[in-house]
Amino acid sequence: ESKRILDLMIHSIYTNKEIFLRELISNASDAIDKLYFRSLTDSAVGLNREDFFIKISLDKEARTLSIEDNGCGMTKDELENNLGVIARSGTLDFKNESDLGAQDDIEIIGQFGVGFYSAFMVSAVVQVVSRAFGEEQAHVWESEGPDGYTIRACDKDTHGTLITLTLKENEKEENYDEFLETHRITGIVKKYSDYIRYPIRMELQKSRLKEGSEEEYKSYTEEETLNSMVPLWRRNKSELTREEYDQFYKDKFYDYEDPLSVIHVKAEGAVSYQALLYLPAKAPYNYYTRDYEKGLQLYANGVLIMDKCADLLSDHFSFIKGLADSQDLSLNISREMLQQDRQLAAIAKNLSKKIKAELERLLKNERETYEKFFGEFGMQLKYGLYSGFGAHKEDLKDLVLYYSMAQKKLVTLQEYTDAMPQDQKYIYYACGETAAKIELLPQTERVREKGYDILCLTDDVDEFAIQMLREYAKKEFRSVSGDDIGIEDEQQQKDVQEKTEANKELLDFMKEALSGKVHSVQLSGRLSRHPVCLSTQGVLSIEMEKVLNAMPAQEKAQAQRVLEINAEHPVFEKLRKLYEQDQEMLKTYSALLYAQAQLIEGLPIEDPVAFSNEVSALMAKE
Ligand code: ADP
Ligand code: MG
């Protein structure tokens, strides 16, 4: 099996053969990390950061490329266990997977580290000479590929590992000689391993004018460090281009798209740290699920200590990708300790401020970018408004956008209130599936006639968040379907009141006919042309009821429905007549009007067949 897997890997997975070098260098760097880490906590190691290096050497005649490190090295057992078995990763049991298609193979290979084995993509022979730190005896592991390997004792002066690849002979379509060219190797190192924190050295051919001569050159070799080592985030903002920032993001956080924005933070003071924060252009497919894990990479002085440190990011900014690096954090920090770490809390608080400021900047100066961001992650901000009983509303209320019915575009709450006419007292909103459907709602009629704008709330969380906000710029929110739309028109109010009194028995009769379904039947102050609508009393709206009932729960939520009837509509005259002449028919009419009001709200009606039959019966009537 391992032969088959190796063949597959060599021939089909990595068409990009050059990555073998990245893999071997990062193994060398990991090995140094291990020893360096020990040296920090155990002074007996007696090594300093500057002592560590990775060295690449090329030998054209022997067709070899070697990579040497002075990291932790490997014992005989470790050579055997770490390099000996290709599928050493415990997640796989190849014996059971007897008949896999090629597609499956590729997926399987992706599941475990094939790092070291990538050397066989370019090598005929791989030799690993290694001496574990603190051991006297060194060993050499040698293999020509999947058929096996040998291990024997050997001499090595220093601890660490020396890997020597004897490159394959060139084939018709494959040229392996390129990996013996210094410029090719320096290019690969720069491309993949520039931020390796230890120097990657190589002897380079150089030439200079011979002394005393003006045209005769003399060549010499000099060892140079190929990588810039200093991590991007430690460099000065002024030296960095947006392309570099973006490339770093794509490499490190596995995104195909450039981020919408980059925040590079360098903080000095009580806690010193650097951070690199990115605003992704697209929400990951699992972003709004439980599977999504928020967090920033956490480095202590350039050494990665945690891949996803959740405590560094507020929930409402969980979409941010990036890292933070602090000199002031202890390396031996554990997960539990992190949670209580005051320095970490201070960093997190600061980062939240920076993120908020950047979002505000985008909103102000790059509206299009902001709206793109909002389309992807706006819902998270809205959840943030609502969560923790509105604990973060001051931070978030100016970052949310809603669709304005009058302006036909997304607006902030500030923009909405700025555009309010003098006499408008409240911020109006209406809920529905889409802005287009909301515009059709009869409940919006009066408010629009007054020339007031309405915010269209289309996300499940919207109304909950709005209720948590309660007000903006001292203006309360009012739902156009709530019990009081707060539009005072004395004449109209008087009319409705008088008519209500005059028709009290009719309204009571209808309420009785709809008993268990509606809280009351009233004459409407919010309709002018439409015959009926539903409104609600109390905090629970119909949209909220829908959201709550979509969640698994024992008890169903029930908004207090009010069936509102337009007394100016001809249908009302008919109702009055029926009350005098045919109360059975009035019951049917009541049920039909209620069904219509439910349909307008996008609510299912209890018995669509009965509804259809009743309407047809009415249509057939002479
Ligand atoms: P991974 O790096 O994902 O663990 P690799 O196949 O790249 O997988 O390496 C396998 C293992 O071999 C490493 O985990 C490490 O224990 C060991 N190893 C590889 N290269 C070195 C090295 N230069 N020094 C010490 N150990 C090494
Ligand atoms: Mg590796």
Side-chain angles (χ1 to χ4, degrees), residues 238-279:
S238 56
E239 309 173 351
L240 289 160
T241 62
R242 180 68 193 256
E243 282 70 40
E244 282 176 285
Y245 279 124
D246 289 357
Q247 193 56 47
F248 181 80
Y249 166 76
K250 287 187 281 190
D251 291 347
K252 202 149 180 110
F253 300 103
Y254 312 108
D255 201 344
Y256 307 101
E257 273 186 75
D258 285 334
L260 293 177
S261 175
V262 189
I263 316 171
H264 189 171
V265 187
K266 289 192 167 204
E268 309 275 344
V271 196
S272 297
Y273 67 92
Q274 297 91 41
L276 211 48
L277 307 176
Y278 290 96
L279 191 58

Side-chain angles (χ1 to χ4, degrees), residues 336-361:
E336 296 71 46
M337 283 163 68
L338 270 175
Q339 261 159 22
Q340 295 147 20
D341 196 289
R342 299 232 311 278
Q343 284 154 330
L344 202 70
I347 297 175
K349 198 169 158 208
N350 248 326
L351 292 182
S352 255
K353 277 193 205 148
K354 299 277 180 190
I355 297 166
K356 183 185 168 213
E358 174 63 7
L359 292 177
E360 282 169 347
R361 189 192 68 78

Side-chain angles (χ1 to χ4, degrees), residues 23-24 27-28 30-31 34 69 72-74 82-83 88 113-117 130 161 163:
E23 295 299 324
L24 297 183
N27 282 352
D30 291 347
K34 282 181 200 157
D69 68 70
C72 63
M74 283 176 274
N82 297 344
L83 310 182
R88 66 179 191 291
V114 284
F116 171 75
Y117 264 76
S130 196
T161 303
I163 300 182

Side-chain angles (χ1 to χ4, degrees), residues 203-445:
E203 296 229 314
L204 298 181
Q205 284 285 337
K206 306 211 159 172
S207 61
R208 64 171 165 239
L209 278 176
K210 258 190 181 166
E211 243 169 278
S213 159
E214 301 224 329
E215 59 232 45
E216 234 188 308
Y217 285 85
K218 138 176 169 193
S219 75
Y220 66 103
T221 59
E222 195 171 70
E223 197 174 81
E224 264 194 20
T225 297
L226 307 181
N227 53 331
S228 47
M229 285 195 293
V230 186
L232 190 85
W233 59 91
R234 291 265 177 99
R235 286 165 57 195
N236 280 331
K237 288 183 216 178
S238 56
E239 309 173 351
L240 289 160
T241 62
R242 180 68 193 256
E243 282 70 40
E244 282 176 285
Y245 279 124
D246 289 357
Q247 193 56 47
F248 181 80
Y249 166 76
K250 287 187 281 190
D251 291 347
K252 202 149 180 110
F253 300 103
Y254 312 108
D255 201 344
Y256 307 101
E257 273 186 75
D258 285 334
L260 293 177
S261 175
V262 189
I263 316 171
H264 189 171
V265 187
K266 289 192 167 204
E268 309 275 344
V271 196
S272 297
Y273 67 92
Q274 297 91 41
L276 211 48
L277 307 176
Y278 290 96
L279 191 58
K282 275 231 163 64
Y285 71 94
N286 65 351
Y287 183 64
Y288 289 107
T289 73
R290 271 163 195 264
D291 292 342
Y292 181 79
E293 236 186 297
K294 67 162 185 171
L296 298 179
Q297 285 192 335
L298 180 63
Y299 291 82
N301 209 12
V303 181
L304 182 70
I305 54 175
M306 200 187 281
D307 201 34
K308 284 217 168 124
C309 180
D311 297 337
L312 277 174
L313 274 185
S314 343
D315 275 339
H316 48 268
F317 294 147
S318 62
F319 41 80
I320 295 287
K321 299 250 187 240
L323 53 89
D325 183 3
S326 174
Q327 296 79 309
D328 301 333
L329 290 172
S330 149
L331 263 183
N332 295 326
I333 208 157
S334 72
R335 237 167 239 277
E336 296 71 46
M337 283 163 68
L338 270 175
Q339 261 159 22
Q340 295 147 20
D341 196 289
R342 299 232 311 278
Q343 284 154 330
L344 202 70
I347 297 175
K349 198 169 158 208
N350 248 326
L351 292 182
S352 255
K353 277 193 205 148
K354 299 277 180 190
I355 297 166
K356 183 185 168 213
E358 174 63 7
L359 292 177
E360 282 169 347
R361 189 192 68 78
L362 287 177
L363 179 58
K364 191 157 165 262
N365 302 333
E366 295 177 39
R367 181 71 171 225
E368 214 175 300
T369 307
Y370 189 81
E371 289 191 9
K372 188 157 185 257
F373 151 75
F374 196 79
E376 296 290 321
F377 300 110
M379 187 125 70
Q380 188 64 16
L381 298 182
K382 293 169 173 178
Y383 280 120
L385 273 180
Y386 173 70
S387 70
F389 299 101
H392 308 289
K393 63 184 182 186
E394 285 311 309
D395 279 343
L396 300 175
K397 65 179 189 200
D398 285 310
L399 292 175
V400 288
L401 302 176
Y402 297 102
Y403 187 81
S404 146
M405 197 180 286
Q407 301 178 52
K408 306 241 176 291
K409 59 175 189 182
L410 291 169
V411 297
T412 62
L413 292 172
Q414 180 76 55
E415 287 160 354
Y416 178 94
T417 48
D418 283 351
M420 275 167 61
Q422 279 286 321
D423 66 339
Q424 185 180 342
K425 290 212 198 88
Y426 304 103
I427 301 174
Y428 290 102
Y429 67 86
C431 304
E433 232 176 291
T434 61
K437 281 195 181 175
I438 293 172
E439 280 193 63
L440 301 175
L441 287 177
Q443 291 93 324
T444 63
E445 237 184 343

